[in-house]
Amino acid sequence: MTLLVELAVARSGDKGDIVNIAVIAHDDAAYQRVVAAVTAARVKTYFRDWVRGPVERYELPNLGAVNFVLHGALGGGVARTLRIDSLGKAMGLAVLRMEVPQE
Amino acid sequence: MVERGGVDYLGYDFLSELTMTILAKRRARLGPHEGYVPDVARILAPVLPAAGEGRTRVVTNAGGMYPRGALRKVARALVEAGFPDTPVAEVTGDDVLGRLDTFVAEGVELTDHATGMHFREYADRAVFAHAYLGARPVQEALAAGAHVVTAGRVTDAALFLGPILHETGWRDLDRLATGLVVGHLLECSGMVTGGSSNFWRDAVDPWNPGYPVAEVGRDGSVVITKTPGTGGLVSRGTVIEQLLYEIHDPAAIVSPDVVADITAAHVGQVGRDRVAVSGVRGTPAPDTLKLLIGYRDGWTGEGTIMFSWPEALDKARRAEQILRHRIDAEALPVRELLFEYIGVNALHGPTAPIPPDPNEVMLRVCGRFDRAEPARALFELILPLFSMAPATPAGFAGRPAVRETVALAVTALPAALVSPRVDCLPAREAAEEE
């Protein structure tokens, strides 16, 4: 197993109670592995009760990136959440610890 | 940027969802003539001579909930700097708080997209309601000759798309979408020039980062770069990071002016700290505007306490246990309670691996209450822990952190119901208003 951090970087951002996580692969080969391994369902399961709504995934082969949209992911949104990371800034980096199968 | 970058326009984005709640609280505390960014004149002071001379025009949404207040402050600073004749403009029309009841009566569905809650459920607690205006009123203000534009809630990107439209007159949807993407890339300032970046090791002189500059050609060409002689980094990586920041469906990035599609966009390094962006496509904007409504929703109280090795994590867990018992014993009316272990899982929640024996752990408790008093009482329950919890609690935080929650609802409003207004006048006249 490889950790996703070896294949990609990530940046997350908030809009209301929605967090998006852009996973940006280091190169084309890494992008293919990310697309194959990191599904919306896996991301949803990964965050357990931190993500209460559905997760959508958008592929961007032109940018070598995959964008995940996590609904109900911030404990009510920046103004309302009790979390110290009220903007979900670190959630993208959390994804980088996911395991990806070897080539 | 003004002296070395030679920029024609400077955009200053001050507003986020959170900023709106902060400005709303300020207005509630200080009165209806507040609600703009109070430091606006101090922040703009260094560029006002250039704006006065017309070398660089300044566009900002620092007007927040009271653009006139920001306009007067900036106008007075311009007069003091010796530029009484400089035209300044405000953009308003975004504030619809006073019209929401009428909208509801006329059958507009004001339902929060996230929670499904209807405006009626919190109408008596609403403290602000702003429709997100686009770039057209900014363009109009510039066309009227304004050297400084203070707007209310125009979109972040409109601060940049407005000047682009003023210069180019673009109507083609792909061009409009390209301009929107330029605005999106610039609106978070240093976040595209090596700040908040995974590529931070490649950013040079990070204590002196350059703010981003977009070179936009009439042919739709775009290069993102930064001021010469500054630190930071503009690379394909930093631009893609920001391109996807706070984006949902990349084929439908919605704005009041155009819907952008970046699924065929090309981002390529064309020189040192120079990245070209092309291939952005556009489709027509929806006939609705995003509407953000803030309403009072109780209070939060929080506090922290730290524990040291050995067994720091177990000690912090014991402190949580003690606090939960004390909250029950005191019958604190808490609606929601969260314990975080800073150093362990505060940032990554359930995905965080638990370290075997961390050197130190900070326990943070945060609770939601209907009223301020119990929120304060939660903090006060932490104080006795310093003589009740395992060896040895440390890091006493002396001030209670209690704050009112202004929750946010997001919904849509028919654009036809919103009329942006532009008022352009010489700085002297704006400065003389009471």
Side-chain angles (χ1 to χ4, degrees), chain B residues 90-95 99 133 137 140 419-423:
Chain B
E90 69 168 350
V91 173
T92 56
D94 53 311
D95 184 348
R99 301 171 63 199
L133 305 181
E140 199 183 312
S419 311
R421 285 187 300 274
V422 173
D423 186 14

Side-chain angles (χ1 to χ4, degrees), chain B residues 324-385:
Chain B
R324 285 190 183 275
H325 276 274
R326 295 308 307 159
I327 289 166
D328 286 346
E330 301 282 338
L332 275 196
V334 62
R335 276 163 59 187
E336 197 182 332
L337 195 61
L338 177 72
F339 285 91
E340 293 180 316
Y341 291 77
I342 295 174
V344 177
N345 66 2
L347 295 184
H348 289 179
T351 78
I354 303 303
D357 192 10
N359 185 65
E360 58 200 49
V361 174
M362 178 184 269
L363 177 68
R364 173 178 179 268
V365 59
C366 191
R368 188 188 317 288
F369 303 86
D370 286 329
R371 293 175 299 114
E373 295 75 36
R376 193 174 304 275
L378 174 67
F379 175 81
E380 283 160 7
L381 284 183
I382 295 170
L383 302 183
L385 279 188

Side-chain angles (χ1 to χ4, degrees), chain A residues 9-12 14-16 18 20 22 46-48 50 58 62 65 67 79-80 82-84 89-90 94 97, chain B residues 17 191 195-196 198 242 244-248 250 262-263 265 297 335 340 348-351 353 364 368 405-406:
Chain A
V9 298
R11 178 178 279 188
S12 48
D14 72 301
K15 279 269 182 281
I18 300 172
N20 85 298
Y46 184 70
F47 279 106
R48 290 189 256 176
W50 258 26
Y58 299 95
N62 55 319
N67 192 37
R80 209 170 175 282
L82 300 180
R83 293 183 204 160
I84 196 163
K89 294 275 189 187
R97 207 187 267 108
Chain B
E17 292 178 348
M191 281 181 66
S196 189
N198 292 279
Q242 185 57 24
L244 298 178
Y245 180 62
E246 293 182 341
I247 289 300
H248 296 165
I262 56 169
T263 57
D297 189 28
R335 276 163 59 187
E340 293 180 316
H348 289 179
T351 78
R364 173 178 179 268
R368 188 188 317 288
T405 301
V406 173

Side-chain angles (χ1 to χ4, degrees), chain B residues 57 69 104 106 159 178 248 266 296 324 365:
Chain B
R57 297 217 228 171
V104 171
E106 287 168 0
L159 304 175
T178 301
H248 296 165
H266 181 76
R296 286 192 300 274
R324 285 190 183 275
V365 59

Side-chain angles (χ1 to χ4, degrees), chain B residues 191-411:
Chain B
M191 281 181 66
V192 72
T193 54
S196 189
S197 176
N198 292 279
F199 308 101
W200 59 277
R201 283 189 188 279
D202 300 327
V204 300
D205 296 353
W207 40 86
N208 182 33
Y211 277 174
V213 175
E215 299 171 359
V216 182
R218 288 183 198 284
D219 58 355
S221 62
V222 171
V223 171
I224 304 295
T225 181
K226 61 185 181 66
T227 315
T230 59
L233 173 72
V234 179
S235 69
R236 183 169 188 267
T238 68
V239 170
I240 293 177
E241 280 181 324
Q242 185 57 24
L243 186 57
L244 298 178
Y245 180 62
E246 293 182 341
I247 289 300
H248 296 165
D249 179 355
I253 301 168
V254 181
S255 83
D257 302 294
V258 66
V259 175
D261 175 353
I262 56 169
T263 57
H266 181 76
V267 176
Q269 194 94 32
V270 292
R272 186 175 169 180
D273 292 318
R274 295 180 62 80
V275 172
V277 179
S278 60
V280 179
R281 296 179 300 209
T283 52
D287 55 8
T288 56
L289 296 178
K290 174 178 169 178
L291 174 63
L292 186 72
I293 307 174
Y295 58 97
R296 286 192 300 274
D297 189 28
W299 294 73
T300 58
E302 66 174 276
T304 55
I305 183 167
M306 289 187 77
F307 294 93
S308 157
W309 181 93
E311 300 179 300
L313 182 52
D314 283 345
K315 290 170 180 172
R317 286 174 171 148
R318 174 61 60 86
E320 174 182 341
Q321 211 178 8
I322 295 171
L323 259 180
R324 285 190 183 275
H325 276 274
R326 295 308 307 159
I327 289 166
D328 286 346
E330 301 282 338
L332 275 196
V334 62
R335 276 163 59 187
E336 197 182 332
L337 195 61
L338 177 72
F339 285 91
E340 293 180 316
Y341 291 77
I342 295 174
V344 177
N345 66 2
L347 295 184
H348 289 179
T351 78
I354 303 303
D357 192 10
N359 185 65
E360 58 200 49
V361 174
M362 178 184 269
L363 177 68
R364 173 178 179 268
V365 59
C366 191
R368 188 188 317 288
F369 303 86
D370 286 329
R371 293 175 299 114
E373 295 75 36
R376 193 174 304 275
L378 174 67
F379 175 81
E380 283 160 7
L381 284 183
I382 295 170
L383 302 183
L385 279 188
F386 282 85
S387 57
M388 289 164 74
T392 300
F396 172 64
R399 282 180 64 242
V402 174
R403 59 183 189 276
E404 186 172 23
T405 301
V406 173
L408 300 172
V410 175
T411 183

